[in-house]
Amino acid sequence: MRRIRLLAGATAAVMAAATLAAPAYAADPVAADTGRDSTQAAILAYRTVYPTISDSAAQLAAAQQDTRKQLHEKLAAEPQTYGGAYFDPPSGVTHVALTTQASAERAVAAGRALGLTVSAKVVARSYDELERLAASVRTGTDQLAVAAKGRVGIEVASNTVTVALTSQEAASLPGSAIPGWVTIVPASADLVELDICSSRAACNDSLRSGLSIRHSGGACSMGFTARSGSVRYALTAGHCNIGASTTWYTAGTLIGTMTAANAINSGPVDAGRIQVTNSTYAADTVGRIAISASSWVPVRGRAHHMSFIWAGDVVCISSRYQAPATSGNPCGVIASVSDAAQGGLTRYEGYDPCPGDSGGGVYWLPSSGERHAFGLHSRSIVGCNNTASTKKKAWFSAVPNFWNTMNYDLG
């Protein structure tokens, strides 16, 4: 059901956020980060994904993104009680999960002090425990693990591990094979493609998220740059690598080589690292996100833990695909932090990326305008710039699922 498409040239795609007036919204349904007004881009992203949201609710949701993450930092300081959080933009309510009544009451008080409307729920499992349980199903050998085929995710709202099964797979499992901490969800019927495929294709003065990168077998997009000690890496989707060792270029300029051991495409991880051997690129110390062919903004941070990434966050993608007469990076809203139907990848909605966008950097766009690395784009609904709202879905490999194990620093 998944297809890999290698396509040459196509151009990219998104309108900058303009006003909240209905005619402008109808003509310009895709929010974009232009490197300037991050709040307007976030407002339009919320309006795109939630068509019935009020203007005031969209404005408040966008303005409070940084504040909601302040609440996360406070609650996550006690990982044994923190079960994660999500935000409901139309209502303006921040939902948090805690494992004790006392911590739930402290969460409500902390949110009130920050000016947030918080609903706290006492749950059985912390987010860290959910991640351990999800990993046990992905790597297990029992009936449930075999039926799941890696389609395993996490849902904060129900405080369960989610497993996506077809109706036939679900019917074949005895009730005893499904633990109480597992929720069975329908496997998606949507056709999904790994988004492999100008001018981000003609930029070779520095490495930056969103550039077109190529090897002999096709093209993808560059994600973020990282360091491990003195070695610099360029990150892209793991499925983009072909063969035991693939040499990558940008605008005809050598980047370096990715080996098969450095490319992973399994479960929630679709990430690969190219060791930068070009001395000019390797000497650079700045992490960049392309906004256009000639402009960029710096990466200011990254998600250190999956519990930092919430449903309801506005994210944007910097990738190779751009359409004529438009600029900026398209934005959407996270709908599922760990989507079982796609192996635990994070789903975002409001924009439909294109072949060649794989590996592009997905980043958080808070009201402060300080962009934080959230992940690498992996796949989307088959098509390109679908206009139907039900088809504006994409998935990324979240940074915390691979970054920490590789001992990276930004830059």
Side-chain angles (χ1 to χ4, degrees), residues 67-355:
T67 308
R68 293 194 292 272
K69 284 301 187 284
Q70 290 179 43
L71 178 63
H72 165 271
E73 295 293 350
K74 186 174 183 64
L75 301 182
E78 298 180 5
Q80 70 278 9
T81 62
Y82 185 44
Y86 64 96
F87 173 63
D88 179 54
S91 69
V93 175
T94 297
H95 296 266
V96 294
L98 290 307
T99 60
T100 68
Q101 184 62 38
S103 58
E105 291 172 359
R106 289 196 298 271
V108 173
R112 186 185 303 116
L114 290 169
L116 301 174
T117 301
V118 174
S119 174
K121 179 181 180 181
V122 177
V123 296
R125 291 164 284 275
S126 69
Y127 197 93
D128 283 353
E129 184 177 356
L130 288 174
E131 286 196 308
R132 288 192 294 270
L133 290 170
S136 72
V137 179
R138 291 191 184 104
T139 59
T141 57
D142 60 11
Q143 287 178 290
L144 178 63
V146 171
K149 301 183 180 70
R151 299 183 303 244
V152 181
I154 292 171
E155 185 180 84
V156 171
S158 63
N159 191 236
T160 59
V161 171
T162 51
V163 175
L165 301 177
T166 65
S167 57
Q168 293 85 354
E169 290 167 338
S172 70
L173 281 178
S176 59
I178 305 171
W181 42 265
V182 166
T183 298
I184 303 299
V185 297
S188 173
D190 288 321
L191 291 175
V192 174
E193 62 187 349
L194 300 171
D195 288 332
I196 305 179
C197 174
S198 180
S199 151
R200 301 185 187 218
C203 175
N204 61 2
D205 68 334
S206 65
L207 294 178
R208 59 189 72 174
S209 176
L211 295 188
S212 173
I213 58 176
R214 304 192 66 87
H215 57 69
S216 60
C220 278
S221 297
M222 204 191 89
F224 303 102
T225 51
R227 290 188 178 279
S228 180
S230 61
V231 180
R232 195 177 197 216
Y233 294 98
L235 307 181
T236 189
H239 74 256
C240 290
N241 203 53
I242 297 175
S245 182
T246 305
T247 302
W248 289 84
Y249 300 83
T250 177
T253 300
L254 173 71
I255 300 174
T257 300
M258 184 193 301
T259 65
N262 286 331
I264 304 171
N265 181 23
S266 177
V269 178
D270 184 4
R273 61 182 187 178
I274 304 164
Q275 182 171 340
V276 179
T277 54
N278 179 315
S279 59
T280 299
Y281 289 158
D284 203 345
T285 59
V286 179
R288 295 175 169 91
I289 297 171
I291 295 296
S292 67
S294 59
S295 67
W296 58 271
V297 293
V299 187
R300 294 299 191 189
R302 65 175 175 87
H304 289 265
H305 190 279
M306 281 303 297
S307 67
F308 186 81
I309 301 175
W310 294 7
D313 284 343
V314 171
V315 291
C316 305
I317 173 175
S318 185
S319 56
R320 59 171 279 156
Y321 191 87
Q322 272 192 314
T326 64
S327 64
N329 294 326
C331 304
V333 179
I334 292 178
S336 174
V337 170
S338 181
D339 188 348
Q342 294 300 324
L345 293 169
T346 300
R347 186 175 81 248
Y348 60 113
E349 300 183 1
Y351 177 68
D352 171 40
C354 299

Side-chain angles (χ1 to χ4, degrees), residues 227-229 273 302 402-409:
R227 290 188 178 279
S228 180
R273 61 182 187 178
R302 65 175 175 87
F402 61 86
W403 193 290
N404 294 340
T405 61
M406 296 180 179
N407 194 29
Y408 287 156
D409 294 317

Side-chain angles (χ1 to χ4, degrees), residues 342-396:
Q342 294 300 324
L345 293 169
T346 300
R347 186 175 81 248
Y348 60 113
E349 300 183 1
Y351 177 68
D352 171 40
C354 299
D357 283 346
S358 280
V362 179
Y363 57 95
W364 179 42
L365 187 68
S367 53
S368 66
E370 290 198 349
R371 295 153 182 85
H372 294 246
F374 263 22
L376 304 173
H377 175 69
S378 175
R379 59 197 68 184
S380 62
I381 299 296
V382 169
C384 176
N385 285 336
N386 281 305
T387 57
S389 60
T390 57
K391 298 297 183 182
K392 292 182 180 180
K393 297 178 183 177
W395 291 263
F396 68 86

